[in-house]
Amino acid sequence: MDNQENTENKEREAKPGKAGLFISSHVEKLQASSFNLLLTVAAAIVVMFIVAFCVFNANLKGEEQVMVPNVVGLDLGDALLEMQQKELYQKVQFRYTDSDDAGKILSQSPEAGTITKAGRRINLVVSKGMILNKIENYVGENFDDVKIKLQTMFTGSTKQLIVLSDPSYKTDEAPAGTILAQNPPEGTPISTPVTLKLLVSKGSEYETTKVPNLVGLSVGKIYSQMESSKVIFDFSTHAADSSKGERAGTVTQQQSFESQFVRAYTHCAADFALEETVSTDGKKPVVGVFSARTTKFPFAVDMVLMAEKDGKQSRLVTFKHFGGAVTVPYEVEQGTTVSLVVKDKVVAKELVN
């Protein structure tokens, strides 16, 4: 009897109760859920690697390869359409040409036939046509200004579309150098180089001016008179005669006229006194007369006498002259280079010793 009870007790201990069965069931579910979670995480990681690999390969492969089309000679609009069809972009530069081909493609880079990636920038040079396609109106402008303007305009151009011939000159009330007439007239079309003929004023021959008196004046005061008057002085030199009270570096005598008023830019002779002996110690300024021969001009032009020493330049005097024989007094240090500048060009120079 006791043995039977012991056996039943052992069987009851071996079989779990209801609470034990509930706990066991939940443990099994949690274990199954963890496995599913791990499986899901692993699957997500695999998918991420696959996506990353695909993206990497796509970037490594790059954009589509295209052939650069030939657009040279096309209108800009047609060229842009060609670029758009190839998924290429353009960078446009403009320049003038010698023909009426505005809007045409002159060159491209890279060249046609080059294999490149879609989206690349293609450099296009586009014609702006001729700088001028017709003759402008130059009447009333200064001849020198127009000459410089045309030279600057066609700098770098293979053709000089407007060529200036030697102008004709006429006495006129307009200021000297003013353009009075032109041929061809304004508005004439330009297809090939055109020779432009101009009629230029040489000023009024009836303009008069007062002759200043230079006698006894030093160099600085002579310069003041030269700059303000419309008389051309022709200076000659002689050694100062102290017995007559002459001072070196001054005008001792000048040409006289019947009237104190003469025609503008009349020549007037003036005698300039020099030192009897020139100092060689380099301390005392040297006085003298600079002389040069230049091109003759149909009207008075600005001339400048410049001085330069030890790399430093200074302007001595600016005056108007018709050219030919030009004489100007000076008073400078020894070792100074004196030069004559006409229309921004040095036409003569002299070293003073």
Side-chain angles (χ1 to χ4, degrees):
M1 198 58 191
D2 291 335
N3 290 334
Q4 184 178 356
E5 288 179 358
N6 290 335
T7 302
E8 289 177 354
N9 289 335
K10 290 181 180 179
E11 288 179 354
R12 280 195 297 267
E13 291 176 359
K15 291 182 180 180
K18 291 183 178 180
L21 290 173
F22 178 79
I23 294 172
S24 177
S25 175
H26 276 275
V27 169
E28 290 177 356
K29 289 181 180 180
L30 286 174
Q31 290 176 345
S33 297
S34 299
F35 178 77
N36 291 336
L37 178 61
L38 291 174
L39 185 62
T40 302
V41 171
I45 293 174
V46 171
V47 171
M48 289 175 59
F49 272 108
I50 293 174
V51 172
F53 181 75
C54 292
V55 172
F56 175 77
N57 281 344
N59 290 332
L60 187 63
K61 182 179 179 181
E63 297 176 342
E64 181 184 356
Q65 299 288 313
V66 295
M67 179 182 291
V68 178
N70 182 15
V71 296
V72 174
L74 297 182
D75 289 329
L76 177 58
D78 295 336
L80 296 183
L81 287 176
E82 289 275 357
M83 294 290 109
Q84 186 177 1
Q85 291 174 359
K86 298 290 186 179
E87 297 185 6
L88 297 171
Y89 298 93
Q90 68 287 332
K91 180 179 180 182
V92 178
Q93 294 179 316
F94 292 91
R95 70 175 176 85
Y96 288 106
T97 63
D98 299 326
S99 59
D100 191 12
D101 57 355
K104 298 288 186 182
I105 306 298
L106 302 176
S107 64
Q108 66 180 75
S109 176
E111 297 180 353
T114 302
I115 303 299
T116 186
K117 292 181 180 180
R120 179 171 178 178
R121 191 180 301 277
I122 307 300
N123 296 314
L124 302 178
V125 178
V126 184
S127 171
K128 292 183 70 174
M130 293 187 294
I131 299 177
L132 288 178
N133 56 12
K134 62 182 180 180
I135 297 293
E136 296 180 348
N137 181 25
Y138 301 109
V139 175
E141 296 188 42
N142 180 271
F143 172 73
D144 287 335
D145 292 343
V146 170
K147 185 177 181 180
I148 294 173
K149 175 183 176 181
L150 293 177
Q151 288 174 345
T152 303
M153 183 179 296
F154 295 107
T155 299
S157 180
T158 57
K159 289 184 181 179
Q160 182 88 11
L161 293 177
I162 299 180
V163 179
L164 280 178
S165 65
D166 292 334
S168 300
Y169 294 93
K170 174 186 176 182
T171 300
D172 192 87
E173 293 181 357
T178 303
I179 297 173
L180 304 175
Q182 66 180 65
N183 186 36
E186 177 187 7
T188 301
I190 301 176
S191 56
T192 57
V194 175
T195 299
L196 181 63
K197 298 180 180 179
L198 301 175
L199 179 64
V200 180
S201 170
K202 59 187 298 184
S204 173
E205 63 179 347
Y206 302 107
E207 182 183 3
T208 60
T209 187
K210 185 177 181 180
V211 180
N213 183 13
L214 303 187
V215 175
L217 298 185
S218 59
V219 173
K221 293 181 178 180
I222 292 173
Y223 287 165
S224 296
Q225 294 297 330
M226 289 178 64
E227 290 183 337
S228 61
S229 69
K230 292 185 178 180
V231 174
I232 296 176
F233 289 96
D234 298 322
F235 294 93
S236 57
T237 60
H238 72 283
D241 188 345
S242 57
S243 63
K244 297 180 180 180
E246 295 179 350
R247 292 185 300 112
T250 64
V251 172
T252 58
Q253 186 178 357
Q254 79 176 49
Q255 181 180 352
S256 60
F257 298 91
E258 294 180 359
S259 171
Q260 61 178 341
F261 288 91
V262 297
R263 185 174 296 175
Y265 301 111
T266 293
H267 285 257
C268 177
D271 205 2
F272 186 75
L274 303 179
E275 295 280 0
E276 291 182 322
T277 57
V278 179
S279 173
T280 58
D281 59 9
K283 296 180 180 180
K284 189 175 182 180
V286 178
V287 294
V289 171
F290 177 89
S291 61
R293 182 165 292 277
T294 72
T295 301
K296 290 186 177 181
F297 301 96
F299 52 85
V301 299
D302 285 332
M303 296 190 180
V304 183
L305 191 68
M306 300 290 296
E308 180 179 0
K309 185 178 182 183
D310 299 330
K312 296 181 179 180
Q313 286 189 334
S314 60
R315 182 186 66 86
L316 299 179
V317 62
T318 300
F319 58 97
K320 288 188 176 295
H321 205 287
F322 274 83
V326 180
T327 54
V328 190
Y330 60 78
E331 184 175 4
V332 297
E333 297 178 358
Q334 288 184 1
T336 299
T337 299
V338 180
S339 57
L340 183 66
V341 179
V342 181
K343 293 186 175 181
D344 298 324
K345 293 184 178 179
V346 176
V347 296
K349 60 174 56 179
E350 174 185 333
L351 177 62
V352 178
N353 291 316

